[in-house]
Amino acid sequence: MPDDAGLIDAWFRLGFGSQHAHAVRAVPHTPYGEHPELLVRRATRSDVAVLAELELVLPQHQGLSPVFSAGEVGTLEEALAEWEEDIDDRSYTTFVAEYNGRVVGMSVGCSLEKSSAHSGLARPDNAAFLSFAAVFPDARGIGAGRALGEAVLNWAAEVGYDCVVTDWRVTNLLSSRAWPSLGFVQTFHRLHRLLGH
């Protein structure tokens, strides 16, 4: 293999080395604006059914090439029961994005202290956590994921956090493009690759 830094980096990020990225960014000084064709709002109890559907979108996507890391995907009934119980938990802030009156995606923000995967140096002081985001496959490309990420960043600034942390599977190309484009800078990498279970 030639000594080409770009090729080596692509090979490394495609799963032959780096598996998972942790990243951080400061909260925005100026709030992000609205997206003309999207309505981003706080989720309500009336959204529980669609939130349960969206809960399954990410693990289903992670099971596809080139990620290959979904593990076991829960059922819609299990996700629905969890959302019925958790929708009123005020320690999590859930946003939905509507396009033409249909909820097409969601994102969840909370205190980073809620994450057991972020400890020690991976847990900066006074940090929020962009803990989950998903957009239905047929709605990707309209800016819903970006708008939902911006909603969590705006919320984190409003409630007084200094920064926001997130993480993603490096081989999830959607996340690997979306979160750095929102200003997240990778801080830690988990190195591992296993095809199959």
Side-chain angles (χ1 to χ4, degrees), residues 6-183:
L7 285 175
I8 292 170
D9 182 60
W11 180 260
F12 185 73
R13 288 182 298 108
L14 217 77
F16 299 93
S18 183
Q19 179 194 48
H20 204 83
H22 292 240
V24 65
R25 63 151 291 170
V27 295
H29 295 297
T30 304
Y32 288 102
E34 295 181 8
H35 293 257
E37 296 186 5
L38 295 166
L39 169 64
V40 178
R41 60 173 176 78
R42 296 274 183 106
T44 66
R45 183 161 286 282
S46 65
D47 297 310
V48 163
V50 73
L51 292 171
E53 290 181 59
L54 284 161
E55 184 83 22
L56 303 181
V57 167
L58 182 59
Q60 289 166 348
H61 176 74
Q62 303 273 64
L64 303 174
S65 171
V67 188
F68 300 118
S69 65
E72 192 172 323
V73 178
T75 67
L76 182 59
E77 292 74 21
E78 290 168 338
L80 189 58
E82 286 179 22
W83 276 104
E84 285 285 354
E85 185 176 322
D86 294 344
I87 190 67
D88 298 319
D89 186 342
R90 294 165 79 61
S91 57
Y92 294 90
T93 303
T94 303
F95 296 94
V96 294
E98 289 185 18
Y99 180 71
N100 290 334
R102 172 189 169 220
V103 172
V104 297
M106 74 157 169
S107 61
V108 180
C110 61
S111 168
L112 186 58
E113 294 175 359
K114 292 285 186 184
S115 171
S116 60
H118 296 82
S119 59
L121 294 175
R123 183 176 286 177
D125 293 336
N126 196 33
F129 184 34
L130 172 54
S131 65
F132 187 87
V135 174
F136 285 121
D138 67 329
R140 292 180 187 145
I142 61 172
R146 181 175 189 88
L148 289 161
E150 290 174 357
V152 171
L153 291 168
N154 284 343
W155 160 81
E158 287 168 16
V159 299
Y161 288 106
D162 295 325
C163 61
V164 180
V165 169
T166 196
D167 61 80
W168 64 89
R169 292 289 176 152
V170 173
T171 49
N172 180 341
L173 302 180
L174 299 174
S175 297
S176 287
R177 294 177 183 126
W179 304 138
S181 77
L182 267 177

